[in-house]
Amino acid sequence: MNHRTIFAIVLSLAASLAHADGLQDLETFLREVKSAQASFTQVVTSPKREGEATARSKTSSGRFEFQRPGRFRFEYTKPFEQTIVADGQTLWLYDVDLNQVTARKQQDALGSTPAALIASGTDIKGLSEAFDLKAGAARDGMEWVDAQPKAKDGQLQSVKVGFRQGQLAVLEIVDGLGQRSVLSFAQWQGNVAVKPERFRFQPPAGADVIRP
């Protein structure tokens, strides 16, 4: 074996050791990104029904912000307006068309949800209490984490988190009914100052407030 071959092998090994997998990207994200803003597009696809040629899907979009620990805001703007706010104590969901607010205790609502992976978790050890985590195969130019919820309540089947060059890019979620949601993030800005009022919610006057 000549020196050129040995050098090529060493370089190859060094590159593979330096290459981060999805779990390393997730760990870095949890440790280093304390806040963020981004736009998002969500595509929800329902399982095909008998007799249907293709599965039905619907697309929505909006803005997303979070501040660790446990504060975030999803603001859907198209095709319908809807706001989801976690203020650290309560998870608020406001449907503009229905003028209806649903309020739940955040601790009960977020334990094994995708939101916990993004905004509530602070380290891999903490997330491992709610999810079985493993590095997924690289695809579509991204490194992936497969997150299997430990809760057996049937709400979620699986969650996959995709990182592109260390930046959160995609969430793929399959719920208990087989419905698949894909959230793709763009215009990502990490560790930005987010105004505290973005994580406060006051039900609009006249809105019905439901507390399950």
Side-chain angles (χ1 to χ4, degrees), residues 113-124:
T113 68
L117 285 166
I118 301 176
S120 297
T122 55
D123 56 37
I124 289 287

Side-chain angles (χ1 to χ4, degrees), residues 57-73:
S57 65
K58 54 184 179 181
T59 302
S60 54
S61 60
R63 295 287 301 173
F64 167 66
E65 300 160 293
F66 81 85
Q67 176 81 53
R68 296 192 202 282
R71 291 170 172 81
F72 64 84
R73 183 185 188 98

Side-chain angles (χ1 to χ4, degrees), residues 129-191:
E129 295 178 3
F131 296 91
D132 288 320
L133 302 169
K134 66 177 182 179
R139 58 180 169 88
D140 302 325
M142 289 178 279
E143 299 295 332
W144 291 85
V145 174
D146 296 336
Q148 193 73 29
K150 290 183 177 180
K152 304 302 180 183
D153 55 13
Q155 294 185 30
L156 290 176
Q157 290 186 28
S158 66
V159 180
K160 297 181 186 296
V161 189
F163 292 91
R164 181 177 286 111
Q165 297 179 344
Q167 181 174 291
L168 178 66
V170 175
L171 276 176
E172 294 185 358
I173 306 154
V174 179
D175 69 16
L177 299 176
Q179 182 172 261
R180 184 171 182 264
S181 298
V182 179
L183 285 93
S184 301
F185 298 96
Q187 300 173 326
W188 183 269
Q189 295 178 290
N191 291 322

